[in-house]
Amino acid sequence: MGKKAPKMKSITKSKTKTHKQKVKSHKKNKNISKQKYRTKQRSESQDKLKKPEAPLTDYLTHKSNYIAVRFIFECGIKLGLKHITICSAAVYFHKFYKHVDETAYDNYSIASATLYLASKVQDETIRLRDLINVCYHTLHRDAAPLRLAEDYWNFRDSIVHAEMLIMRIVQFDTTFDHPHHYFLHYVQTLRPVFYSKHGKDIIVFKKAYDFLHDFYHSSDIFQFKAQHIAIACIELAIKVYGIPFQIIDYEIKFWYQALVEDLDKDTLWNVMAGIMDTYDFELTTN
């Protein structure tokens, strides 16, 4: 009897071991099924909240400078350029057409050349071949890949010649005081106020940044100071989202006068009107 006891003990041990393994595998499968269910729910909720994609612009049917600047932004994003580089290209485009007739040159060739010039000025050089391929397929969306043939070399020559023409027209002046630098400084200053009392800081400043980029579609950006444009974009976003007066008390002092002393209410409204007028160009071109 004493010899049979160890066998019974080993049998019970193996049973408990297999039982534990079954429990672990069951828990593991349960966790996997939970994760799958959660990911499925997340994807379904994202599909519900997903906005319908805007139709792609057919640039060949539009010849306005507003649409040409949109072309600059689309190509710049596809090339992975920084926002300041893309905005610089828009500035060179507006500077060029301040001195020449709008119908005298192909605005998409000029737009492509401004991207190439801005990438050099901002020390973010891109391959000319990449620029040609991106610009060509943005204009001709359903076209076959551009081969190293006559069309490619013609497009390449037009960009190179247009770049030299732009430099001569703007008198080799590529400087511009972008509002971005001031905008980031103002955002860092104002963010604790919005975050601590309202919690809408990210939404407001993102919308203000969108206003800033959209204003580059208009040549009116040259009429105002960079500091005033940055403040106007933030103020316009505040009014769009209806930030309550408990945060910004206009009766005591305008919040922007603590940041920019030479900005009065009338000037601010003029800048905001210029930003809002930019969206009228989109209605007239579509």
Side-chain angles (χ1 to χ4, degrees):
M1 292 293 290
K3 292 180 180 179
K4 287 182 180 178
K7 287 184 178 179
M8 293 292 291
K9 197 173 183 181
S10 63
I11 290 167
T12 54
K13 276 185 178 179
S14 63
K15 281 184 178 179
T16 53
K17 192 175 181 181
T18 53
H19 179 69
K20 284 180 180 178
Q21 286 177 351
K22 284 181 180 179
V23 171
K24 282 184 179 179
S25 63
H26 178 69
K27 285 182 178 179
K28 190 177 180 182
N29 292 330
K30 197 174 181 182
N31 290 331
I32 290 169
S33 62
K34 277 184 179 180
Q35 287 176 357
K36 285 182 179 178
Y37 178 72
R38 283 172 185 170
T39 52
K40 187 180 178 182
Q41 272 192 332
R42 197 181 296 117
S43 63
E44 286 176 356
S45 63
Q46 285 176 354
D47 290 338
K48 287 179 183 178
L49 295 171
K50 195 174 181 182
K51 294 180 181 179
E53 293 184 359
L56 297 173
T57 306
D58 185 7
Y59 291 107
L60 295 177
T61 60
H62 300 89
K63 287 293 182 181
S64 67
N65 285 350
Y66 177 87
I67 299 296
V69 176
R70 183 187 292 179
F71 172 80
I72 290 173
F73 273 84
E74 182 176 343
C75 293
I77 291 168
K78 287 179 178 177
L79 288 164
L81 297 175
K82 297 176 184 177
H83 289 172
I84 198 72
T85 305
I86 300 171
C87 292
S88 297
V91 167
Y92 302 150
F93 183 86
H94 290 307
K95 276 188 176 183
F96 177 81
Y97 277 103
K98 276 178 67 178
H99 302 286
V100 299
D101 185 17
E102 189 173 340
T103 59
Y105 300 94
D106 179 53
N107 49 6
Y108 293 120
S109 296
I110 300 298
S112 304
T114 56
L115 274 171
Y116 193 47
L117 175 61
S119 67
K120 292 179 180 179
V121 174
Q122 297 295 331
D123 291 329
E124 195 181 2
T125 53
I126 53 176
R127 291 176 57 193
L128 183 55
R129 184 169 182 177
D130 293 338
L131 176 68
I132 291 169
N133 288 330
V134 167
C135 292
Y136 181 81
H137 285 290
T138 305
L139 288 172
H140 311 276
R141 298 189 186 276
D142 299 325
L146 192 62
R147 296 181 179 180
L148 290 172
E150 186 178 358
D151 290 339
Y152 173 84
W153 295 111
N154 289 338
F155 198 6
R156 186 184 185 280
D157 291 341
S158 68
I159 292 175
V160 173
H161 293 153
E163 183 192 10
M164 292 188 290
L165 177 65
I166 292 166
M167 289 296 291
R168 289 198 295 270
I169 294 295
V170 302
Q171 298 177 355
F172 297 90
D173 182 16
T174 58
T175 58
F176 183 74
D177 191 14
H178 287 280
H180 292 71
H181 310 294
Y182 306 99
F183 180 84
L184 294 174
H185 172 67
Y186 300 152
V187 166
Q188 291 298 325
T189 305
L190 293 170
R191 189 168 184 178
V193 178
F194 285 87
Y195 183 78
S196 60
K197 294 186 178 180
H198 204 261
K200 278 191 175 182
D201 59 326
I202 296 173
I203 301 172
V204 171
F205 295 136
K206 186 179 181 302
K207 178 56 68 176
Y209 198 65
D210 293 339
F211 287 144
L212 177 59
H213 275 194
D214 291 343
F215 197 32
Y216 276 89
H217 286 72
S218 172
S219 59
D220 291 341
I221 198 168
F222 297 123
Q223 297 181 10
F224 309 105
K225 288 185 177 181
Q227 299 95 319
H228 297 175
I229 294 171
I231 291 290
C233 292
I234 298 172
E235 175 70 4
L236 188 58
I238 288 170
K239 293 190 178 300
V240 166
Y241 282 100
I243 302 300
F245 287 98
Q246 287 79 8
I247 295 177
I248 301 171
D249 196 348
Y250 290 98
E251 293 181 0
I252 299 172
K253 186 179 180 180
F254 294 111
W255 65 268
Y256 49 83
Q257 290 179 344
L259 300 171
V260 182
E261 294 180 355
D262 64 339
L263 180 60
D264 55 13
K265 187 177 179 180
D266 293 334
T267 306
L268 180 65
W269 276 101
N270 288 334
V271 182
M272 287 195 295
I275 295 170
M276 289 186 287
D277 288 342
T278 306
Y279 298 100
D280 292 336
F281 291 116
E282 187 174 11
L283 296 173
T284 55
T285 52
N286 291 337

